[in-house]
Amino acid sequence: MILQEYAKQLKEVLALDGTPVGVAFSDSSASNGKGSKVMACSAFYQAARKGVTFNVSAETSTFPGGFRRVETPPKTARAFMYQGF
């Protein structure tokens, strides 16, 4: 897959310890995704370090600050991914 090659190149060029992580907002779950309760930051870490795929939803998100709304509009989601809260 071409994305895996891009990830490999990014990891080498930027000397990353972990693998770049992709995020998709979808109405359907990934067939290979874990549905266990997890904080998004932990899911990202495990994806980068261990290659684990997660299905994060309002029911599975355990964000400690009480943030449980995952059905974020795409514009807001993009702002979060690039700028944070």
Side-chain angles (χ1 to χ4, degrees):
M1 176 183 277
I2 196 165
L3 293 177
Q4 291 171 333
E5 183 57 34
Y6 288 151
K8 181 179 176 185
Q9 289 177 6
L10 278 171
K11 187 174 179 177
E12 290 174 4
V13 170
L14 299 175
L16 300 173
D17 292 330
T19 303
V21 174
V23 176
F25 293 90
S26 175
D27 290 332
S28 58
S29 299
S31 60
N32 62 334
K34 292 176 76 173
S36 55
K37 291 193 178 265
V38 65
M39 287 187 286
C41 54
S42 177
F44 292 141
Y45 178 84
Q46 291 184 53
R49 303 293 183 186
K50 301 176 183 174
V52 179
T53 300
F54 285 90
N55 290 316
V56 180
S57 67
E59 293 77 32
T60 62
S61 174
T62 60
F63 191 79
F67 178 77
R68 299 183 69 85
R69 183 175 165 86
V70 179
E71 310 86 34
T72 312
K75 184 176 179 182
T76 305
R78 243 182 270 117
F80 168 71
M81 293 305 296
Y82 292 109
Q83 300 166 1
F85 282 114

